[in-house]
Amino acid sequence: MTSIKDVAREVGMSTATVSRALRGLPRVSEDTRLRVLKAAERLDYVASPAAAGLVSGQTRAVGVVVPFVTRWFYGSVVHGAEELLRERGYDLLLYNLAGDQQARHRVFQTHLLRKRVDAVLILSLTPSAEEIASLNRLDRPVATVGAVVPGFSSVSIDDLATARTAVQHLVDLGHRRIGYIGGDLEGQLDFSAPLDRLRGYREAMAAARLRRNPAWEVTGDFTVRGGLAATRLLLATTPRPTAIFAASDEMAIGAVHAVRETGLRVPEDVSVIGIDDHEMAEFFELSTVAQPVHEQGRVAAQLLLQAIEHGPAFEPAVLTVPTRLVVRRTTAPPRH
Amino acid sequence: MTSIKDVAREVGMSTATVSRALRGLPRVSEDTRLRVLKAAERLDYVASPAAAGLVSGQTRAVGVVVPFVTRWFYGSVVHGAEELLRERGYDLLLYNLAGDQQARHRVFQTHLLRKRVDAVLILSLTPSAEEIASLNRLDRPVATVGAVVPGFSSVSIDDLATARTAVQHLVDLGHRRIGYIGGDLEGQLDFSAPLDRLRGYREAMAAARLRRNPAWEVTGDFTVRGGLAATRLLLATTPRPTAIFAASDEMAIGAVHAVRETGLRVPEDVSVIGIDDHEMAEFFELSTVAQPVHEQGRVAAQLLLQAIEHGPAFEPAVLTVPTRLVVRRTTAPPRH
DNA sequence: ATGAAAGCGCTAACAT
DNA sequence: ATGTTAGCGCTTTCAT
């Protein structure tokens, strides 16, 4: 592997000058810089971040912790983050927990502590006290997407307001019996969105003076399958709801399917609305409250890069991005 | 940040001994090893891979190049690879090209060359000659999933045989007019799967002595939307096919939708079969030829780890994993 | 079984 | 504008 010495020898200068020239630092004559750049190109020289990091303390890499890479939502956030990071010359280290507690422990207690990243981005999960302690010991900027953690920067939607928007849409259409399907609250205590969306649902119901029914609040996996199962339960109640608010589009897709398999029609018999504007939402003609997914990844990465550049004095920023009601064809007024 | 010196001081030994003890090397007394391990734990010490890599030449990280992280298929392969890598203490650097030529160039010419990874895993795309030159210059093991590249290890399915299996299933059901929807061949010359699947389709048609019709071979995006659009074209031909082989499950899902929107029924009027066994395939009751996605990621990672450990003498392995016909409810005999 | 010392490739501080 | 030197945190000889 060619090293900085090879380049220095090639141009007949010291490694210090080469280093300065390559990084665009001042106090290098234009002529020298050009010759260095050319020589580096010719020799296929790329500086080793390991060596540079050892002395500068910067790794030019960011760690990203994801609950499930296979899900469109997380993939999209990662996409947004990776895009900006690469533009700025940073690498992205991916840690996929995939619901595995042991993996989670290992990531927080070992991998992230290896001084290998300049910053950490955490998607959706709320770190435990112990994990927060680890992250603080790391002494590097941390940001989250989809969860607000005291002391960390974050980018997220207002889950409460978003849920209210969805339910209010159903109320406005004239629905009075509205069911909710959402994520488990136990077992996954570390996701805050499901809880807030449930609370938003309840608030909107109360504000519209609608009666709540415990049997109309069903939880399960945040997946198509989970939505399918939850909706089957919901439809078995009497009277059954005329509309369903699903805490995610994937659950909503499952809900639409469940309604149809019961012999009922969407939206004539049962309306369905979700949250996300999943890539398949338009395909399913699903009404939903859209959130900017890719953008949240970019913005969060941006926040981290700023924090890296501004040093420890940088104040954590808590950003909320807007959501937007998208009415398609799974919601309509109830039949009387 | 605590360094190896802190640990050495804590146990009253040299850093050399601490290093040996931590890495499980021989010639350390059991007693010493235990004390070192305890001290490291107590001080939250984790060795810096950057410093270690500088001298050992190993980074304990693998770079993974992905066309689109947001797609379930790639997310799943990454999941499989990440899982094994983490078990073995390796980090994963993710490079998402997202169809961006500039990104692609930058990844191959800069990021991968930074001496930051011990090996590279490339998903689905066939590197250009220039990219192969870069990878070779890197002088590290390279493996691919879903594409066979001379000189590199690979894990993939037999696309030709898999396509034939799908088409043969339709033939066995009695279909004679079978259409194909698959990926674009121009513009994305670097994906080999679409071409092989098309060839498999043609071979199976020929083997069954069925007439081919250029209008029954439609290409488009490898997505739900692409499948939808391609199928619309396919159904507009006369006579129209009674069965459709889609080169991916996402395209097949789009195909099913297109058939239904035309007022036709699946499978009564038109049968549809895909490839992958996508997570949503069961939900859609889609007949398909399943491939082990997550496993291909794990196996490819395994191959790379072996190559890293065995050094440059390691022979590239070209592995083919089996696929399996899964008959659900989108395929049936044609009506006469 | 353990330690001393050199050095991996680079940057930063201090010359000049 | 450029060069010299020290040293980042670790591993690896080579001694003992």
Side-chain angles (χ1 to χ4, degrees):
Chain A
M1 289 271 95
T2 55
S3 87
I4 198 171
K5 279 188 188 165
D6 300 314
V7 181
R9 192 178 316 117
E10 179 88 0
V11 296
M13 305 228 126
S14 73
T15 60
T17 302
V18 171
S19 174
R20 281 190 287 254
L22 254 22
R23 285 177 300 151
L25 261 39
R27 299 188 183 177
V28 176
S29 76
E30 263 323 296
D31 179 54
T32 302
R33 189 186 308 283
L34 229 66
R35 284 175 46 231
V36 169
L37 255 31
K38 284 240 172 74
E41 168 102 47
R42 204 172 334 122
L43 301 178
D44 282 311
Y45 171 74
V46 185
S48 152
L54 205 50
V55 32
S56 71
Q58 303 252 312
T59 64
R60 294 198 76 81
V62 169
V64 178
V65 181
V66 185
F68 302 96
V69 240
T70 50
R71 299 251 240 274
W72 171 84
F73 180 85
Y74 298 115
S76 298
V77 177
V78 168
H79 174 185
E82 198 264 0
E83 188 178 276
L84 184 71
L85 291 175
R86 185 168 19 71
E87 285 170 15
R88 305 286 217 80
Y90 279 73
D91 286 322
L92 184 156
L93 293 172
L94 182 77
Y95 300 102
N96 180 44
L97 306 184
D100 178 345
Q101 274 304 325
Q102 201 184 326
R104 177 169 181 158
H105 188 259
R106 190 124 180 238
V107 165
F108 279 95
Q109 305 308 322
T110 305
H111 289 263
L112 287 179
L113 294 180
R114 301 214 238 190
K115 304 137 193 167
R116 186 160 243 186
V117 296
D118 290 338
V120 176
L121 177 59
I122 297 176
L123 304 196
S124 283
L125 24 91
T126 307
S128 68
E130 190 193 2
E131 286 162 356
I132 291 180
S134 278
L135 291 168
N136 286 333
R137 219 180 294 124
L138 231 191
D139 199 28
R140 301 241 185 277
V142 176
T144 58
V145 166
V148 178
V149 183
F152 297 159
S153 287
S154 64
V155 182
S156 45
I157 60 170
D158 182 336
D159 284 298
L160 215 62
T162 301
R164 280 196 309 251
T165 300
V167 175
Q168 189 60 47
H169 168 59
L170 298 173
V171 169
D172 291 345
L173 285 171
H175 291 278
R176 309 192 56 76
R177 300 202 305 274
I178 302 173
Y180 169 85
I181 60 174
D184 272 330
L185 300 180
E186 314 95 49
Q188 307 219 355
L189 281 173
D190 37 8
F191 288 97
S192 61
L195 181 58
D196 284 339
R197 291 177 191 179
L198 173 57
R199 284 178 47 215
Y201 160 77
R202 288 176 176 170
E203 284 185 19
M205 292 294 276
R209 305 195 169 283
L210 295 181
R211 196 169 54 84
R212 274 176 38 216
N213 179 341
W216 292 346
E217 295 177 359
V218 184
T219 61
D221 262 10
F222 243 73
T223 62
V224 173
R225 196 168 303 281
L228 182 72
T231 304
R232 282 175 182 156
L233 293 177
L234 209 55
L235 294 177
T237 62
T238 35
R240 60 171 163 68
T242 61
I244 298 174
F245 163 47
S248 82
D249 279 356
E250 300 202 20
M251 295 197 84
I253 290 168
V256 168
H257 199 84
V259 170
R260 290 189 178 139
E261 78 175 4
T262 316
L264 297 170
R265 289 182 308 166
V266 176
E268 291 82 353
D269 300 307
V270 180
S271 284
V272 175
I273 187 168
I275 288 186
D276 279 347
D277 203 17
H278 188 282
E279 67 171 339
M280 288 206 188
E282 192 182 348
F283 174 79
F284 284 104
E285 304 188 299
L286 187 70
S287 293
T288 189
V289 188
Q291 64 167 316
V293 185
H294 175 267
E295 185 191 332
Q296 289 181 73
R298 264 193 88 96
V299 171
Q302 170 83 49
L303 244 35
L304 288 174
L305 258 22
Q306 274 174 19
I308 291 169
E309 281 155 20
H310 289 67
F314 193 80
E315 280 290 301
V318 176
L319 303 185
T320 305
V321 297
T323 55
R324 179 176 48 86
L325 178 66
V326 178
V327 179
R328 294 200 182 94
R329 311 181 65 159
T330 56
T331 49
R335 293 193 304 182
H336 292 289
Chain B
M1 289 273 95
T2 54
S3 86
I4 198 171
K5 280 189 189 167
D6 300 315
V7 182
R9 194 178 314 118
E10 180 87 0
V11 295
M13 305 225 123
S14 74
T15 61
T17 303
V18 171
S19 174
R20 281 190 286 253
L22 254 21
R23 285 176 301 150
L25 260 40
R27 300 190 182 173
V28 176
S29 75
E30 263 323 296
D31 179 54
T32 301
R33 189 186 307 282
L34 229 65
R35 283 174 47 230
V36 169
L37 254 32
K38 284 241 171 73
E41 168 103 47
R42 203 171 335 122
L43 300 178
D44 282 310
Y45 171 74
V46 185
S48 153
L54 204 51
V55 33
S56 70
Q58 303 252 310
T59 64
R60 295 197 76 81
V62 170
V64 179
V65 182
V66 185
F68 302 97
V69 238
T70 50
R71 298 248 239 277
W72 171 83
F73 179 85
Y74 298 115
S76 299
V77 177
V78 168
H79 174 185
E82 198 264 358
E83 189 179 275
L84 184 71
L85 292 175
R86 186 167 18 71
E87 285 170 14
R88 305 286 217 81
Y90 279 72
D91 286 322
L92 184 157
L93 292 169
L94 181 77
Y95 300 101
N96 180 45
L97 305 183
D100 178 345
Q101 273 305 327
Q102 201 184 326
R104 177 169 181 159
H105 187 259
R106 190 125 180 235
V107 164
F108 279 95
Q109 304 310 322
T110 305
H111 289 264
L112 288 179
L113 294 178
R114 301 213 236 189
K115 304 139 191 164
R116 186 159 247 188
V117 296
D118 290 337
V120 176
L121 177 59
I122 297 177
L123 305 196
S124 284
L125 23 91
T126 307
S128 68
E130 189 193 5
E131 286 163 355
I132 291 179
S134 278
L135 290 169
N136 286 334
R137 221 179 294 125
L138 232 192
D139 198 27
R140 302 239 184 278
V142 175
T144 59
V145 166
V148 179
V149 183
F152 297 159
S153 287
S154 64
V155 182
S156 46
I157 60 171
D158 182 337
D159 283 297
L160 216 63
T162 301
R164 280 196 308 253
T165 300
V167 174
Q168 189 59 47
H169 168 59
L170 298 173
V171 170
D172 290 345
L173 286 171
H175 290 277
R176 309 193 56 78
R177 300 202 305 273
I178 302 174
Y180 169 84
I181 60 174
D184 272 329
L185 299 180
E186 313 95 50
Q188 308 218 355
L189 280 173
D190 36 8
F191 289 96
S192 60
L195 181 58
D196 285 338
R197 292 176 190 180
L198 173 58
R199 284 177 46 215
Y201 159 78
R202 288 176 176 169
E203 284 184 18
M205 292 294 277
R209 306 196 169 280
L210 295 180
R211 196 169 52 84
R212 274 177 37 216
N213 179 341
W216 291 346
E217 295 178 358
V218 185
T219 60
D221 263 10
F222 242 74
T223 61
V224 173
R225 196 168 304 281
L228 183 71
T231 304
R232 282 176 183 156
L233 293 176
L234 209 56
L235 294 178
T237 63
T238 34
R240 59 171 163 68
T242 61
I244 298 173
F245 163 47
S248 82
D249 279 355
E250 302 202 18
M251 295 196 84
I253 290 168
V256 168
H257 198 85
V259 170
R260 290 191 178 136
E261 79 177 2
T262 315
L264 297 171
R265 288 181 307 166
V266 176
E268 290 82 354
D269 300 306
V270 181
S271 283
V272 175
I273 187 169
I275 289 185
D276 278 349
D277 203 17
H278 187 283
E279 66 171 339
M280 288 205 187
E282 192 181 346
F283 174 78
F284 285 103
E285 305 188 298
L286 187 71
S287 292
T288 189
V289 188
Q291 64 167 316
V293 186
H294 175 267
E295 184 192 333
Q296 289 181 74
R298 265 193 86 98
V299 171
Q302 170 84 49
L303 244 34
L304 288 175
L305 257 23
Q306 273 174 19
I308 291 170
E309 280 155 20
H310 288 68
F314 193 80
E315 280 291 300
V318 176
L319 303 184
T320 305
V321 297
T323 55
R324 179 177 48 88
L325 177 67
V326 177
V327 180
R328 294 203 181 94
R329 312 181 64 159
T330 57
T331 49
R335 292 193 304 181
H336 292 290

